[in-house]
């Protein structure tokens, strides 16, 4: 059997432990899928795989038990999934054009969850559109609110939804529901002064508990969506660590630009001898220094006036 | 048609401050106008707030307001002294109709600050001994330090049977010991069927005292109570004092027990 | 006489009215609700027909126009008190029949229950009501059973039918405006609801004895005491007083009143630290009986107008109408106790 495993991998198939057998990895940006596409996955699994599927940790689907020689047929069958999810592709019918940049995962977001501050899937799809296909190993995750159910701090880019609470004091009746909720469920950023509420903007994490708990609509959400962007969390062998805060109250456009800038930075700085061409961004930043990274990352980024950039950035975590 | 603005208070001069306990003072206020025992005023201090305070004394051109130092509203009052002024509006509510007690034996049972609203009634009997056939007063406080109107009790003893009790008298011969309800069974009541009773105090104390009075043969329609409730307006608007279909500020705070007995908070 | 107007013509009528009146109607506040990207429908000033939300029920009622959530009563310095001023313009309020019935309840408390309320009255005298024709009930409405589905005490009636505005006015000046901008139509009467998906039945022998029923117990745990039901209710009018002194001038300040809720902690707190109805089930009983028993005892008609907003707004999915429908069983339960 003669297989170019590098091409196999780039085509989003896995080189498995079983000789002759591969697995197809389906991207589902934002983790939301039209149910009528499930039969496509089912058919591939039943006709070319072993009849099972695996739900991946990044919200994709992996279909195991596929013979390498069936990859072209599988790629043909994948086309409706690729089309419907708007995955950028070099040539129709050839499957995924790349696999380095991983599926962009997201919690269920505000399509369903009451805490969600934005449509996580839509933003994930927008990022996917902007960066895929790419061979660089990037992990991006989005979560709807600071509860961080998507555990985005384990990713290279973690995007945490925020709302900037708007307070209409003439609708406030001093029921204190917001103050209590903020103290018990969030960061205790609210104080009652003269029977009205004062928000400590420095402390506020934009979770929206005040809005959710307000019975009179004295608290509402900002029309603008804001995010907290956190950088370079990772698990893995040498130095597992949580992502650190980079920008608070940042907007969607800036996040997209920063991610794209980071691709350019990695291309310029990645170790040319990295095994498999894979070097984790965080280790590159460790090597070049944060200042060099920031120079690239913030190039031509127009942050909103309210954005707060953390400095210096410092990661800790475990060192083995 | 423009109606008058009932929410606007009027300045009243503090004539005298009479301390009772560490936390309770009586403010004798200059006041011209008719006031009924049992009625209340909305007393306010600008920048802090308003609270309903029962009239604890009615004098010539004065009213007494006995105020307990609890909460933000009433603390401020204690920092003011004679010559200073307070904002008042009122009087509000339906008080005690002392004419109803003319020629009858009257039993008054009061607990703690509940003595304040009945004090004008007691004073009325004190100054008009010809009105009541016989007045018995049972007043209970937590301790000697909590006793309000201590000097008045001494004076009242001249005209009426007074039982002053505290939870623990620590051997003090001037004070009885125990709950007010314990002294109801032994009260000398010659004609229970015609006797009248007034009960004011904390909810549990009122409930048990009334039960004891009923057991003594005092009729439900001859018992009156006064209720303390949160009030923000005094004029049937704010809703805080509503119990069932009754507004304490409009229909009370004094109620005949036949009405009060069915009221459930 | 009714009139038919294009929306453009109606907007000209509104512009004319706007010279004298501030015009309020239910309108959409995009993304203005509790959860993200969920609209809030509540009252606000409108200048065009397009701004008037007629498709969706308003989450909050008109009452905040007459009894603002937070209202300054007067300003004070050490020696002076100055009444807060009232808005200069007169007001037009667009509302549905249930809410127009609620106005009567507000008047009952604020003009008649005890001394009249100065602040309410001075606003009330400025208001003209425009009834919004209501052709179909929403899921949680039960106006028909509460007898609030029809109103004829409006100053004008308004309805959108097939993209056209139908109006009728009793106010002579408005009538003239409609004649100028619209064409007369015979027999226009605002639509009203004749059946509702939600039905309620209140036992004829309902009495305070129902307080002893176990029906209230489940709300000890289910209800979170947030007060949304009260704040959304068009007939809840309780308030709490607040005195504020300015942080930059401790000798001056203002007295405000803010909407209060009998479901929220602190409603019954007295100065000595006592309080009543600590359990949420007791608060629920108090509220329910106020709406469908106590008020009627005092004033001869039910307070609840059946708008169903309390059902819609409850984050714990507690349905007021469902409670009303449990009252019969609750009465049976307490009657049974009496017989034993």
């Amino acid at each position: 059997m003669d297989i170019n495993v590098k091409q196999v991998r780039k085509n989003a198939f896995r080189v498995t432990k079983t000789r002759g057998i591969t697995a197809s990895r389906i991207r589902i940006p934002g983790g939301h899928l039209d149910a009528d596409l499930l039969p496509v996955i089912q058919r591939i699994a039943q006709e070319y795989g072993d009849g099972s599927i695996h739900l991946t940790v990044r919200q994709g689907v992996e279909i195991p038990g596929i013979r390498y020689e069936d990859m072209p047929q599988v790629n043909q069958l994948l086309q409706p999934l690729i089309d419907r999810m708007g995955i950028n592709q070099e040539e129709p019918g050839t499957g995924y054009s790349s696999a380095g940049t991983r599926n962009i995962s997201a919690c269920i977001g505000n399509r369903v969850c009451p805490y969600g501050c934005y449509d996580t899937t839509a933003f994930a799809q927008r990022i996917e559109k902007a960066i895929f296909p790419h061979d660089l190993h990037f992990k991006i995750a989005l979560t709807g609110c600071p509860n961080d159910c998507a555990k985005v701090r384990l990713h290279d880019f973690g995007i945490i939804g925020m709302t900037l609470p708007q307070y209409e004091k003439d609708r406030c009746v001093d029921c204190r529901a917001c103050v209590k909720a903020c103290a018990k469920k969030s960061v205790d950023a609210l104080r009652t002064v003269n029977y009205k509420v004062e928000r400590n903007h420095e402390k506020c994490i934009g979770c929206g508990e005040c809005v959710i708990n307000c019975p009179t609509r004295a608290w509402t959400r900002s029309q603008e969506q804001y995010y907290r962007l956190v950088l370079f969390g990772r698990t893995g062998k040498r130095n597992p660590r949580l992502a650190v805060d980079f920008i608070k109250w940042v907007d969607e456009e800036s996040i997209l630009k920063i991610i794209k800038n980071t691709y350019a930075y990695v291309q310029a700085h990645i170790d040319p001898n990295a095994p498999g061409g894979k070097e984790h961004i965080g280790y590159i930043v460790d090597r070049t220094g944060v200042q060099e990274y920031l120079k690239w990352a913030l190039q031509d980024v127009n942050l909103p006036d309210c954005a707060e950039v953390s400095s210096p950035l410092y990661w800790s975590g475990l060192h083995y | 048609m423009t109606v008058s603005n009932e929410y606007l208070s009027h300045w009243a001069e503090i004539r005298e401050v009479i301390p009772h306990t560490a936390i309770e003072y009586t403010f004798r206020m200059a006041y011209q106008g008719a006031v009924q025992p049992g009625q209340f005023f909305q007393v306010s201090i600008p920048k802090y707030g308003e609270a309903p305070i029962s009239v604890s004394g009615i004098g010539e051109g004065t009213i007494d307001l006995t105020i307990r130092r609890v909460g933000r509203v009433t603390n401020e009052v204690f920092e003011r002294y004679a010559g200073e002024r307070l904002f008042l509006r009122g009087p509000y509510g339906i008080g005690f109709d002392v004419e109803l007690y003319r020629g009858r034996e009257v039993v008054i049972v009061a607990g703690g600050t509940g003595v304040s609203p009945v004090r004008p009634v007691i004073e009325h009997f004190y100054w008009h001994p010809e009105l009541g056939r016989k007045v018995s007063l049972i007043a209970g406080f937590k301790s000697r330090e909590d006793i309000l109107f201590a000097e008045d009790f001494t004076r009242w003893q001249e005209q009426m049977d007074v039982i002053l009790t505290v939870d623990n008298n620590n051997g003090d011969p001037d004070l009885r010991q125990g709950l007010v309800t314990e002294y109801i069974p032994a009260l000398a009541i010659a004609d229970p069927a015609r006797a009248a009773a007034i009960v004011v105090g904390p909810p549990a104390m009122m409930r048990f005292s009334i039960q004891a009075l009923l057991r003594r043969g005092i009729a439900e329609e001859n018992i009156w109570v006064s209720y303390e409730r949160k009030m923000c307006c005094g004029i049937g608007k704010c809703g805080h004092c509503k119990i069932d279909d009754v507004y304490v500020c409009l229909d009370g705070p004094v109620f005949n027990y036949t009405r009060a007995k069915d009221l459930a908070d | 006489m009714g009139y038919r107007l294009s929306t453009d013509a109606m907007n000209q009528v509104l512009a004319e009215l706007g010279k004298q009146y501030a015009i309020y109607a239910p309108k959409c506040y995009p993304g203005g609700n509790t959860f993200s990207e969920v609209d809030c429908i509540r009252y606000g000033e409108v200048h065009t027909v397009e701004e008037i939300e007629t498709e969706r029920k308003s989450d909050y009622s008109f009452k905040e126009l007459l009894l603002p959530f937070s209202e300054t009563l007067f300003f004070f310095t050490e020696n002076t008190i100055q009444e807060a001023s009232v808005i200069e313009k007169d007001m037009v309020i667009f509302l549905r029949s249930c809410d127009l019935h609620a106005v009567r309840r507000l008047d009952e408390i604020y003009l008649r229950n005890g001394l009249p309320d100065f602040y309410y009255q001075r606003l009330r005298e400025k208001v003209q009501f425009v009834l919004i024709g209501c052709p179909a009930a929403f899921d949680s409405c039960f106006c028909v059973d509460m007898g609030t589905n029809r109103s004829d005490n409006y100053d004008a009636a308004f309805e959108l039918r097939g993209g056209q505005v139908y109006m009728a006015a009793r106010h002579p000046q408005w009538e003239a405006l409609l004649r100028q901008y619209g064409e007369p139509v015979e027999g226009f009467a605002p639509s009203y609801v004749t059946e509702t998906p939600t039905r309620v039945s209140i036992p004829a022998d309902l009495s305070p004895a129902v307080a002893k029923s176990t029906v209230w117990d489940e709300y000890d745990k289910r209800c979170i005491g947030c007060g949304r039901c009260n704040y959304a209710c068009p007939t809840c009018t309780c308030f709490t007083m607040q005195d504020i002194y300015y942080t930059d001038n401790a000798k001056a300040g203002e007295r405000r009143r803010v909407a209060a809720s009998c479901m929220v902690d602190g409603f019954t707190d007295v100065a000595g630290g006592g309080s009543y109805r600590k359990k949420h089930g007791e608060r629920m009983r108090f509220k329910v009986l106020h709406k469908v028993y106590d008020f009627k005892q005092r004033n001869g008609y039910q307070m609840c107008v059946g708008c169903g907003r309390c059902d819609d707004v409850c984050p714990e999915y507690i349905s007021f109408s469902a409670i009303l429908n449990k009252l019969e069983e609750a009465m049976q339960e307490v009657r049974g106790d009496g017989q034993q």
Side-chain angles (χ1 to χ4, degrees), chain A residues 110 116 171 194 196 212 215, chain C residues 30 36-37 60 64 70 228 245:
Chain A
N110 81 350
R171 295 186 75 82
N194 262 342
K196 300 293 182 193
I212 290 169
Chain C
S36 80
E37 294 179 49
Y60 295 85
E64 61 190 76
S70 178
R228 280 171 176 77
Y245 76 99

Side-chain angles (χ1 to χ4, degrees), chain C residues 60-225:
Chain C
Y60 295 85
S61 81
F62 72 97
K63 80 171 173 193
E64 61 190 76
L65 301 170
L66 287 168
L67 292 163
F69 279 112
S70 178
E71 178 177 26
T72 298
L73 302 188
F74 52 79
F75 303 91
F76 51 76
T77 61
E78 275 180 293
N79 297 307
T80 61
I81 292 180
Q82 190 184 354
E83 262 165 25
S85 56
V86 67
I87 65 159
E88 281 179 15
K89 276 189 172 179
D90 290 340
M91 285 196 278
V92 171
I93 299 176
F94 282 69
L95 37 52
R96 292 172 194 269
S97 177
C98 52
D99 279 358
L100 190 47
H101 280 267
V103 174
R104 183 181 172 203
R105 280 82 175 150
L106 266 55
D107 287 350
E108 197 69 62
I109 297 293
Y110 275 77
L111 300 179
R112 294 187 279 277
N113 195 54
L115 295 168
D117 185 282
F118 173 82
Y119 297 95
Y120 179 82
Q121 168 135 5
R122 69 180 189 174
L123 278 176
R124 180 70 177 82
E125 285 171 348
K126 288 175 164 288
V127 178
Q128 304 281 327
F129 292 106
V130 179
L131 179 73
I132 302 175
C134 193
F138 299 96
D139 285 350
S140 61
C141 298
F142 50 99
C143 54
V144 176
D145 287 330
M146 297 313 293
T148 58
N149 54 321
R150 285 190 85 164
S151 292
D152 53 15
N153 57 333
Y154 49 80
D155 299 301
F158 161 91
E159 196 166 332
L160 271 176
R161 288 180 188 168
Q164 298 235 288
V165 176
Y166 287 76
M167 287 283 291
R170 297 198 172 136
H171 195 295
Q173 269 174 291
W174 296 12
E175 174 92 34
L177 265 180
L178 294 176
R179 204 176 301 121
Q180 185 186 341
Y181 287 100
E183 53 177 302
V185 285
E186 284 303 320
F188 165 69
S191 303
Y192 61 93
V193 165
T194 54
E195 53 185 2
T196 58
T198 296
R199 300 295 309 271
V200 299
S201 125
I202 299 161
D205 67 342
L206 183 63
S207 82
V210 80
K212 294 190 176 72
S213 164
T214 54
V215 74
W216 311 109
D217 297 350
E218 68 174 283
Y219 302 104
D220 289 347
K221 291 230 161 58
R222 283 183 67 191
C223 174
I224 58 169

